[in-house]
Amino acid sequence: MKVYVMIGAPGAGKGTQADILAERLGLVHVASGDLFRDAVRNDTALGREARRYMERGALVPDPVVIGMIEERLSRPDAAAGIILDGFPRTRPQAEALDAALERRGSRVDAALYVGVPEDELVKRLSGRWLCRASGHVYNEATHPPLVAGVCDADGSELYQRDDDRPETVRARLEQQLPPMYEVIDHYTTRGSLVAVDGAQPVETVTEALLRAIAHPARPGRSEAA
Ligand code: AMP
């Protein structure tokens, strides 16, 4: 079972890249944020719990997230290989993932970090619009839809996420960046971190990620770890 982990701040483009990589590599794309948003929409116990944190831009407590991801890993479609997007977001989550994969005789093949400067993240998140039908992502400044409020790909309505409001954007970055750096440290220590510059065009970032996955023995990554 191939396992890749996407790491990046909110707005870094990790969801976009995870979608593309999943398609190109034949992996299942699992986004923890999407699982939570589905649970909120369906008003499940998990959704009601998660919503209290999501509204504030805070992280959902580790045991809740870990339980949800372990359940997802155990579904049959995950056996083909998986790209995790938005998980792990803290060091305990990364450790729990290592343990869960070890029990399955597997491990994280590479942790893919998409780095983007903070000013750029705020700009991207505040202008972000998503389509209702399948989550296609647009940006007022950098990638507007052809017709305002309508998805180019499927014609569905575009909306802004509640937590993309400017106040919540700042809270999300403040609360979520420090633990993200711990996750980066976790994978650096294990020699599985790949860092790419996420401030480049989408296709350039994808190519850099695919190159890194195809040629794991590169400078800056210790294969011995
Ligand atoms: P995202 O779509 O990845 O930005 O996630 C939306 C929200 O879901 C986050 O702001 C958190 O409140 C929550 N969330 C998603 N993934 C995690 C995680 N791995 N750990 C804790 N909270 C999470």
PDB file of all heavy atoms in Angstrom, residues 1 30-31 51 71 82 85 92 97 119 126 157-158 182 204 207:
ATOM      1  N   MET A   1       0.850  -1.202   0.000  1.00  0.00           N
ATOM      2  CA  MET A   1       0.000   0.000   0.000  1.00  0.00           C
ATOM      3  C   MET A   1       0.879   1.244   0.000  1.00  0.00           C
ATOM      4  O   MET A   1       1.639   1.471   0.932  1.00  0.00           O
ATOM      5  CB  MET A   1      -0.855  -0.049   1.282  1.00  0.00           C
ATOM      6  CG  MET A   1      -1.687   1.170   1.547  1.00  0.00           C
ATOM      7  SD  MET A   1      -2.507   0.942   3.163  1.00  0.00           S
ATOM      8  CE  MET A   1      -3.512   2.404   3.235  1.00  0.00           C
ATOM      9  N   VAL A  30      -7.737  11.262   0.155  1.00  0.00           N
ATOM     10  CA  VAL A  30      -8.532  11.407   1.380  1.00  0.00           C
ATOM     11  C   VAL A  30      -8.182  12.733   2.041  1.00  0.00           C
ATOM     12  O   VAL A  30      -7.053  12.945   2.491  1.00  0.00           O
ATOM     13  CB  VAL A  30      -8.252  10.245   2.355  1.00  0.00           C
ATOM     14  CG1 VAL A  30      -8.928  10.512   3.691  1.00  0.00           C
ATOM     15  CG2 VAL A  30      -8.760   8.934   1.771  1.00  0.00           C
ATOM     16  N   ALA A  31      -9.163  13.649   2.078  1.00  0.00           N
ATOM     17  CA  ALA A  31      -8.946  14.959   2.695  1.00  0.00           C
ATOM     18  C   ALA A  31      -9.708  14.990   4.023  1.00  0.00           C
ATOM     19  O   ALA A  31     -10.926  14.864   4.039  1.00  0.00           O
ATOM     20  CB  ALA A  31      -9.432  16.061   1.769  1.00  0.00           C
ATOM     21  N   ARG A  51     -17.608  20.622  14.268  1.00  0.00           N
ATOM     22  CA  ARG A  51     -18.023  21.971  13.890  1.00  0.00           C
ATOM     23  C   ARG A  51     -17.610  23.017  14.916  1.00  0.00           C
ATOM     24  O   ARG A  51     -17.228  24.124  14.580  1.00  0.00           O
ATOM     25  CB  ARG A  51     -19.536  22.006  13.676  1.00  0.00           C
ATOM     26  CG  ARG A  51     -20.011  23.339  13.092  1.00  0.00           C
ATOM     27  CD  ARG A  51     -21.459  23.310  12.741  1.00  0.00           C
ATOM     28  NE  ARG A  51     -22.241  22.817  13.865  1.00  0.00           N
ATOM     29  CZ  ARG A  51     -23.430  22.234  13.737  1.00  0.00           C
ATOM     30  NH1 ARG A  51     -23.957  22.054  12.564  1.00  0.00           N
ATOM     31  NH2 ARG A  51     -24.082  21.820  14.810  1.00  0.00           N
ATOM     32  N   GLU A  71     -10.441   4.722  10.651  1.00  0.00           N
ATOM     33  CA  GLU A  71     -11.624   4.079  10.052  1.00  0.00           C
ATOM     34  C   GLU A  71     -11.525   4.159   8.523  1.00  0.00           C
ATOM     35  O   GLU A  71     -11.758   3.181   7.813  1.00  0.00           O
ATOM     36  CB  GLU A  71     -12.892   4.781  10.570  1.00  0.00           C
ATOM     37  CG  GLU A  71     -14.207   4.092  10.197  1.00  0.00           C
ATOM     38  CD  GLU A  71     -14.707   4.446   8.808  1.00  0.00           C
ATOM     39  OE1 GLU A  71     -14.528   5.610   8.362  1.00  0.00           O
ATOM     40  OE2 GLU A  71     -15.253   3.541   8.146  1.00  0.00           O
ATOM     41  N   ILE A  82      -2.958   5.493  -1.045  1.00  0.00           N
ATOM     42  CA  ILE A  82      -3.736   6.608  -0.546  1.00  0.00           C
ATOM     43  C   ILE A  82      -2.885   7.874  -0.488  1.00  0.00           C
ATOM     44  O   ILE A  82      -1.678   7.793  -0.249  1.00  0.00           O
ATOM     45  CB  ILE A  82      -4.288   6.216   0.857  1.00  0.00           C
ATOM     46  CG1 ILE A  82      -5.383   7.125   1.317  1.00  0.00           C
ATOM     47  CG2 ILE A  82      -3.207   6.129   1.891  1.00  0.00           C
ATOM     48  CD1 ILE A  82      -6.184   6.514   2.460  1.00  0.00           C
ATOM     49  N   ASP A  85      -4.523  14.209   2.696  1.00  0.00           N
ATOM     50  CA  ASP A  85      -4.454  15.656   2.494  1.00  0.00           C
ATOM     51  C   ASP A  85      -5.070  16.322   3.725  1.00  0.00           C
ATOM     52  O   ASP A  85      -6.247  16.133   4.006  1.00  0.00           O
ATOM     53  CB  ASP A  85      -5.215  15.947   1.188  1.00  0.00           C
ATOM     54  CG  ASP A  85      -5.697  17.371   1.057  1.00  0.00           C
ATOM     55  OD1 ASP A  85      -5.218  18.250   1.784  1.00  0.00           O
ATOM     56  OD2 ASP A  85      -6.569  17.592   0.191  1.00  0.00           O
ATOM     57  N   PRO A  92       1.367  14.263  17.348  1.00  0.00           N
ATOM     58  CA  PRO A  92       0.688  13.027  17.775  1.00  0.00           C
ATOM     59  C   PRO A  92      -0.086  12.352  16.642  1.00  0.00           C
ATOM     60  O   PRO A  92      -0.148  11.123  16.569  1.00  0.00           O
ATOM     61  CB  PRO A  92      -0.267  13.501  18.890  1.00  0.00           C
ATOM     62  CG  PRO A  92       0.357  14.754  19.411  1.00  0.00           C
ATOM     63  CD  PRO A  92       1.034  15.400  18.235  1.00  0.00           C
ATOM     64  N   LEU A  97      -0.395   7.849  12.921  1.00  0.00           N
ATOM     65  CA  LEU A  97      -0.436   7.337  11.539  1.00  0.00           C
ATOM     66  C   LEU A  97       0.672   6.307  11.334  1.00  0.00           C
ATOM     67  O   LEU A  97       0.429   5.234  10.765  1.00  0.00           O
ATOM     68  CB  LEU A  97      -0.290   8.489  10.536  1.00  0.00           C
ATOM     69  CG  LEU A  97      -0.254   8.066   9.061  1.00  0.00           C
ATOM     70  CD1 LEU A  97      -1.571   7.402   8.634  1.00  0.00           C
ATOM     71  CD2 LEU A  97       0.041   9.271   8.153  1.00  0.00           C
ATOM     72  N   ASP A 119       1.926  35.771   3.626  1.00  0.00           N
ATOM     73  CA  ASP A 119       1.153  36.859   2.986  1.00  0.00           C
ATOM     74  C   ASP A 119       0.362  36.325   1.805  1.00  0.00           C
ATOM     75  O   ASP A 119      -0.789  36.689   1.582  1.00  0.00           O
ATOM     76  CB  ASP A 119       2.102  37.929   2.422  1.00  0.00           C
ATOM     77  CG  ASP A 119       2.732  38.731   3.534  1.00  0.00           C
ATOM     78  OD1 ASP A 119       2.353  38.497   4.697  1.00  0.00           O
ATOM     79  OD2 ASP A 119       3.611  39.565   3.229  1.00  0.00           O
ATOM     80  N   SER A 126      -8.569  34.341   1.233  1.00  0.00           N
ATOM     81  CA  SER A 126      -9.667  35.309   1.268  1.00  0.00           C
ATOM     82  C   SER A 126     -10.364  35.405  -0.089  1.00  0.00           C
ATOM     83  O   SER A 126     -11.524  35.791  -0.146  1.00  0.00           O
ATOM     84  CB  SER A 126      -9.174  36.691   1.703  1.00  0.00           C
ATOM     85  OG  SER A 126      -8.179  36.553   2.669  1.00  0.00           O
ATOM     86  N   GLU A 157     -22.974  26.214  -8.718  1.00  0.00           N
ATOM     87  CA  GLU A 157     -22.801  27.498  -8.030  1.00  0.00           C
ATOM     88  C   GLU A 157     -21.476  27.520  -7.259  1.00  0.00           C
ATOM     89  O   GLU A 157     -21.058  26.506  -6.711  1.00  0.00           O
ATOM     90  CB  GLU A 157     -23.973  27.645  -7.044  1.00  0.00           C
ATOM     91  CG  GLU A 157     -23.991  28.923  -6.271  1.00  0.00           C
ATOM     92  CD  GLU A 157     -24.864  28.815  -5.009  1.00  0.00           C
ATOM     93  OE1 GLU A 157     -25.309  27.693  -4.682  1.00  0.00           O
ATOM     94  OE2 GLU A 157     -25.073  29.847  -4.365  1.00  0.00           O
ATOM     95  N   LEU A 158     -20.829  28.696  -7.226  1.00  0.00           N
ATOM     96  CA  LEU A 158     -19.608  28.833  -6.425  1.00  0.00           C
ATOM     97  C   LEU A 158     -19.957  29.447  -5.070  1.00  0.00           C
ATOM     98  O   LEU A 158     -20.855  30.278  -4.976  1.00  0.00           O
ATOM     99  CB  LEU A 158     -18.591  29.734  -7.134  1.00  0.00           C
ATOM    100  CG  LEU A 158     -18.124  29.268  -8.518  1.00  0.00           C
ATOM    101  CD1 LEU A 158     -17.073  30.232  -9.065  1.00  0.00           C
ATOM    102  CD2 LEU A 158     -17.550  27.856  -8.459  1.00  0.00           C
ATOM    103  N   GLU A 182       5.923  21.093  13.348  1.00  0.00           N
ATOM    104  CA  GLU A 182       6.313  19.873  14.080  1.00  0.00           C
ATOM    105  C   GLU A 182       6.148  18.626  13.214  1.00  0.00           C
ATOM    106  O   GLU A 182       6.920  17.679  13.307  1.00  0.00           O
ATOM    107  CB  GLU A 182       5.476  19.724  15.353  1.00  0.00           C
ATOM    108  CG  GLU A 182       5.843  20.762  16.398  1.00  0.00           C
ATOM    109  CD  GLU A 182       5.196  20.461  17.736  1.00  0.00           C
ATOM    110  OE1 GLU A 182       4.701  19.336  17.934  1.00  0.00           O
ATOM    111  OE2 GLU A 182       5.175  21.377  18.570  1.00  0.00           O
ATOM    112  N   THR A 204       3.735  23.447 -12.473  1.00  0.00           N
ATOM    113  CA  THR A 204       5.152  23.369 -12.096  1.00  0.00           C
ATOM    114  C   THR A 204       5.289  22.648 -10.760  1.00  0.00           C
ATOM    115  O   THR A 204       6.195  21.829 -10.562  1.00  0.00           O
ATOM    116  CB  THR A 204       5.752  24.798 -11.988  1.00  0.00           C
ATOM    117  OG1 THR A 204       5.345  25.548 -13.121  1.00  0.00           O
ATOM    118  CG2 THR A 204       7.261  24.751 -11.890  1.00  0.00           C
ATOM    119  N   GLU A 207       4.745  18.927 -11.340  1.00  0.00           N
ATOM    120  CA  GLU A 207       5.918  18.278 -11.942  1.00  0.00           C
ATOM    121  C   GLU A 207       7.008  18.055 -10.902  1.00  0.00           C
ATOM    122  O   GLU A 207       7.632  17.002 -10.859  1.00  0.00           O
ATOM    123  CB  GLU A 207       6.467  19.111 -13.126  1.00  0.00           C
ATOM    124  CG  GLU A 207       5.541  19.158 -14.346  1.00  0.00           C
ATOM    125  CD  GLU A 207       4.991  17.799 -14.755  1.00  0.00           C
ATOM    126  OE1 GLU A 207       5.757  16.816 -14.757  1.00  0.00           O
ATOM    127  OE2 GLU A 207       3.777  17.697 -15.047  1.00  0.00           O
TER     128      GLU A 207
END
